[in-house]
Amino acid sequence: MPTKKKLTFEQSMARLEEIVGLLEKGDAPLEQAMALFEEGAGILRICTQQLDAAEQKVKLLTAGPDGQPREEPFQEEGAQ
């Protein structure tokens, strides 16, 4: 499946799972396996960019010193 059309994150993940399954079977000719690997690497790059962008949008609302809400970057529990 060419990745020229823009896929949603969920569609991209489904395609990655499909590619992994095809590669794990091990019956694809080398040329096809390499093409699948390259497609998967491209999709993975796009998914990583989408996740990074989503993470940047996540904000934690807390009360500031004046009692008004303020935004802070979200940090996972245990992260410093």
Side-chain angles (χ1 to χ4, degrees):
M1 170 191 287
T3 58
K4 292 186 195 261
K5 74 174 188 168
K6 182 134 173 124
L7 300 175
T8 66
F9 180 80
E10 292 77 11
Q11 290 170 326
S12 296
M13 290 301 295
R15 179 60 182 155
L16 274 175
E17 289 177 14
E18 181 181 4
I19 290 170
V20 168
L22 291 169
L23 291 173
E24 285 180 340
K25 283 175 67 176
D27 59 358
L30 179 60
E31 188 173 312
Q32 182 185 11
M34 290 302 299
L36 286 167
F37 179 83
E38 289 174 8
E39 179 185 353
I43 292 172
L44 180 61
R45 199 172 314 112
I46 291 168
C47 287
T48 300
Q49 290 169 353
Q50 290 173 331
L51 286 173
D52 288 344
E55 183 178 4
Q56 293 301 315
K57 291 180 182 179
V58 175
K59 300 281 183 185
L60 178 64
L61 291 177
T62 60
D66 59 359
Q68 295 298 311
R70 70 172 189 218
E71 289 184 358
E72 293 182 3
F74 176 77
Q75 291 184 350
E76 292 183 48
E77 288 184 31
Q80 298 286 332

